[in-house]
């Protein structure tokens, strides 16, 4: 949008952000828990010594004591474990003790999704132009309106944190490392609890599943979630997060990358609440998991976090269930500080796997074909065979050894039976035909024969994907197409180079699930906090839920009947002026007329917003000052500028024909004043 002051044109340009799939996963039994364990809450009259004595009478001790939560609730709570009693027996016994208020199972929770920024066009949930993504095409506009939202965002240097309780986060990922929360009061790796919070070396967060300071991903799920929330933006790499200025606190709650226990989740929530109360600006906790069984202590921990100012963004689940009738936890707790999220697809329909519920699920968000970060340790590979000036494209066999390049003689080794390997293949490369034996047998035989690498070529047209089945000390093993394999075989023996190396660019993957939808909302909550930092939890949730895009397909599926709209969060009346800006200059969040000239300086309110000038001060507007020089064919122009803005300078020798001669484009602001010289003939 251009603004043309008198004389020449200094037209403002807003700095706008130009900016392999799996099924949704199996259902799990309605209620699963850790056998022989229970989460126990004592009555308020019992102090910690009383509680321990009570448990001693049952031949039990506190395996874990939730100290922060106990202090907040005024009653002691912890985990107990019995070697010779089932959970049912344990709960039946403890429930009869008058000192004990509740005894509940330690339920299992499950990840609910199994399913530029150079990959921005693949992020249909942020900007859907109808482009094909991972196969299917979408419908233009069926997205959260990310680009428009960030064009209205409030500049800030404040740090807003989203805690991710999940399988962990790969904090070394190049698209996440710069946006990881770090504990400034902790010296990493020194084995000391520097900040006295009860956790040693909790620099990026903590691993509550193993009681260790390293919260790196035990699978891939948490890293994917973190990328959707806050992957670094405008770094010419990969993807971008919904709030790419937020920070991620990694709270690992799973050792196997698949499930979580309630007790560990409670510990992670308790930690986040404690750190919030110690001054870390945590605005949301993402919980992309679910399972059966309500637990009052888990619920209480989440409420305590809400009292501290934290919102939970929770996945609705992937069982195609109506959560109004089939409960899934934590989604079904229905807390005042909770947003429950269903998954939508590229055409704004409820995903086929997604849970729903007009009373228990709040809104939809993109959750199908969602591209996000993959742990670097699980990066894809780049494989090929080079012979002279010829490169043969290859695929790495799963679990294969890697190499940046093995150069040696290649020998024909038939079908890879032990008798097919010539003695000369030792310390060289084996070329093997596909067929008869498994790939693992072929490669094991090649290794036994002393080969340094193995090439398996197809027995039909094209190449193939194969696996060595298990992790082992495999030599590099790759596959070729039938045509390339036969071409190589025809010139044997010959010298070639086998390459099978990790490709650092392949650290992204597509996943489906409400696990992928929830982090879109976590990012939106952080975005709301960034723009409206003084709002309460209730106001922030209302800002998100009251401003969805209403969709016919969601009307009878979720409470709001709509899908997340990031733009409406910052501009609720859709007048092109962000609510925070209207509040700053006019004292109200909505209702300002964009075309009005409030200070009568010749610029509309909308033009003042775009220019970054004060709409209530007539002396604050975008005006050019021309300074003529001794050169008759050049003069200097100056204008007041605002940090973060970019400008487009045009000129004209005849105002009747308009401004049609470009002097300079994409001029970055050098606040408070920009200067440019026009040397064209006047």
């Amino acid at each position: 949008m251009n603004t043309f002051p008198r004389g020449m044109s200094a037209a403002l340009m807003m700095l706008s952000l130009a900016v392999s799939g799996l099924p949704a996963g199996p259902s799990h039994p309605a209620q699963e828990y850790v056998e022989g364990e229970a989460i126990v809450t004592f009555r308020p009259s019992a102090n910690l010594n009383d509680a321990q004595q009570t448990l001693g009478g049952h031949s039990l001790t506190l395996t874990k004591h939730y100290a922060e939560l106990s202090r907040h609730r005024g009653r002691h709570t912890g985990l107990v474990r019995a070697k010779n009693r089932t959970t049912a027996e344990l709960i039946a016994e403890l429930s009869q003790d008058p000192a004990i208020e509740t005894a509940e199972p330690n339920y299992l929770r499950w990840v609910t999704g199994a399913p530029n920024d150079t990959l921005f066009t693949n992020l249909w949930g942020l900007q859907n132009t109808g482009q094909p993504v991972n196969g299917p095409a979408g419908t233009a506009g069926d997205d959260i309106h990310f680009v428009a939202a960030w064009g209205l965002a409030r500049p800030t240097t404040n740090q807003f944190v989203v805690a991710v309780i999940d399988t962990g986060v790969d904090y070394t990922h190049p698209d996440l490392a710069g946006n990881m929360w770090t504990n400034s009061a902790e010296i990493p790796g020194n084995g000391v609890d520097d900040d006295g919070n009860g956790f040693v070396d909790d620099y990026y967060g903590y691993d509550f599943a193993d009681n260790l300071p390293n919260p790196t991903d035990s699978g891939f799920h948490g890293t994917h979630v973190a990328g959707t929330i806050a992957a670094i933006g405008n770094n010419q790499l990969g993807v971008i997060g919904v709030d790419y200025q937020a920070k991620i606190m990694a709270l690992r709650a799973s050792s196997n990358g698949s499930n979580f226990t309630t007790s560990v989740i409670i510990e992670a929530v308790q930690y986040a609440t404690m750190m919030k109360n110690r001054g870390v600006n945590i605005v949301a906790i993402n919980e992309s998991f679910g399972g059966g069984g309500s637990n009052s202590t888990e619920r209480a921990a989440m409420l305590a976090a809400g009292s501290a100012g934290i919102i939970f963004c929770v996945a609705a689940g992937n069982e195609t269930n109506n959560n109004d009738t089939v409960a899934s936890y934590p989604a079904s707790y229905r807390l005042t500080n909770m947003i429950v999220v269903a998954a939508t697809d590229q055409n704004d329909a409820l995903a086929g796997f997604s849970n729903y519920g007009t009373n228990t699920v709040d809104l939809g968000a993109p959750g199908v074909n969602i591209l996000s970060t993959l742990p670097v340790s699980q990066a894809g590979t780049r494989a090929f065979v080079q012979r002279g000036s010829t490169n043969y494209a290859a695929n790495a066999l799963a679990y294969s050894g890697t190499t940046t390049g093995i150069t040696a003689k290649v020998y024909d080794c038939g079908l890879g039976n032990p008798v097919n390997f010539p003695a000369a293949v030792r310390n060289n490369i084996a070329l093997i035909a596909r067929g008869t034996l498994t790939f693992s047998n072929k490669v094991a035989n090649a290794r036994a024969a002393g080969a340094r690498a193995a090439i398996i070529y197809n027995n039909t047209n094209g190449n193939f994907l194969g696996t060595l089945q298990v992790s082992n000390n495999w030599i590099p093993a790759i596959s070729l197409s039938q045509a390339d394999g036969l071409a190589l075989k025809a010139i044997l023996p010959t010298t070639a180079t086998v390459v099978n190396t990790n490709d650092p660019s392949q650290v992204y993957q597509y996943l489906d699930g409400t696990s992928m939808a929830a982090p879109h909302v976590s990012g939106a909550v952080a975005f709301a906090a960034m723009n409206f930092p003084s709002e309460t939890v209730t106001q922030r949730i209302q800002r998100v839920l009251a401003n969805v895009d209403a969709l016919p397909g969601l009307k009878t599926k979720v409470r709001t009947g709509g899908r997340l709209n990031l733009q409406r969060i910052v501009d609720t009346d859709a007048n092109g002026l962000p609510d925070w800006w209207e509040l700053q200059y006019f004292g109200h969040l909505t209702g300002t007329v964009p075309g009005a000239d409030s200070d009568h300086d010749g610029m509309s309110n909308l033009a003042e917003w775009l220019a970054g000038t004060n709409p209530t001060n007539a002396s604050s507007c975008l005006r050019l000052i021309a300074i003529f020089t001794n050169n008759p064919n050049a003069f200097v122009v100056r204008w007041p500028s605002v940090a973060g803005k970019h400008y487009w300078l045009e000129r004209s020798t005849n105002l009747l024909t308009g401004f049609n001669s470009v002097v300079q484009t994409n001029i970055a602001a050098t606040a408070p004043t920009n200067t440019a010289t026009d040397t064209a003939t006047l």
Side-chain angles (χ1 to χ4, degrees), residues 21-179:
L22 297 171
S27 299
H28 296 284
Q31 296 186 14
E32 285 192 276
Y33 47 79
V34 180
E35 191 62 73
E37 292 186 358
I39 296 172
V40 179
T41 298
F42 292 85
R43 297 194 185 278
S45 58
N47 59 35
L48 183 56
N49 186 59
D50 293 337
Q52 291 169 332
Q53 286 185 3
T54 297
L55 290 177
H58 296 278
S59 300
L60 297 169
T61 60
L62 274 177
T63 303
K64 293 178 181 178
H65 178 231
Y66 304 126
E68 188 73 15
L69 182 61
S70 298
R71 181 199 60 76
H72 176 83
R73 298 175 71 199
R75 62 200 70 192
H76 289 282
T77 300
L79 176 73
V80 298
R81 182 178 296 135
K83 294 182 179 180
N84 302 316
R85 279 166 283 182
T86 67
T87 295
E89 292 170 338
L90 194 60
I91 289 176
E93 177 183 331
L94 295 176
S95 297
Q96 299 302 312
D97 194 306
I100 293 175
E101 186 173 276
T102 61
E104 301 167 298
N106 185 13
Y107 288 112
L108 290 170
R109 306 296 188 218
W110 301 85
V111 294
T112 55
N116 166 10
D117 306 296
T118 52
L119 301 175
F120 181 75
T121 56
N122 301 73
L123 305 180
W124 69 265
L126 304 191
Q127 185 176 56
N128 192 344
T129 62
Q131 75 273 32
V133 174
N134 198 31
T139 301
D142 290 358
D143 56 57
I144 69 170
H145 311 300
F146 169 88
V147 174
W150 275 95
L152 299 168
R154 172 178 170 265
T156 182
T157 57
N158 291 339
Q159 185 180 98
F160 297 88
V161 180
V162 177
V164 174
I165 301 178
D166 213 290
T167 58
V169 177
D170 179 6
Y171 48 80
T172 69
H173 194 289
D175 234 355
L176 290 173
N179 275 357

Side-chain angles (χ1 to χ4, degrees), residues 566-581:
L566 198 67
Q567 181 183 3
R568 286 285 303 277
I569 286 174
V570 70
D571 180 14
T572 55
D573 58 355
N575 66 350
L577 301 173
D579 292 2
W580 62 265
W581 187 83

Side-chain angles (χ1 to χ4, degrees), residues 451-487:
R452 297 170 61 197
I455 304 168
I456 302 175
Y457 63 92
N458 209 352
N459 54 6
T460 187
N461 290 334
N463 205 340
F464 63 91
L465 297 173
T467 178
L468 299 178
Q469 298 178 328
V470 295
S471 179
N472 203 336
N473 187 29
W474 296 108
I475 59 175
I478 62 176
S479 67
L480 289 182
S481 69
Q482 183 181 49
D484 288 345
L486 292 175

Side-chain angles (χ1 to χ4, degrees), residues 193-215:
D193 179 12
D194 298 292
D195 61 355
N197 69 350
F199 295 89
V200 174
D201 291 337
D202 54 323
Y203 188 66
Y204 294 106
Y206 203 74
D207 174 7
F208 296 95
D210 304 297
N211 194 28
L212 294 171
N214 184 4

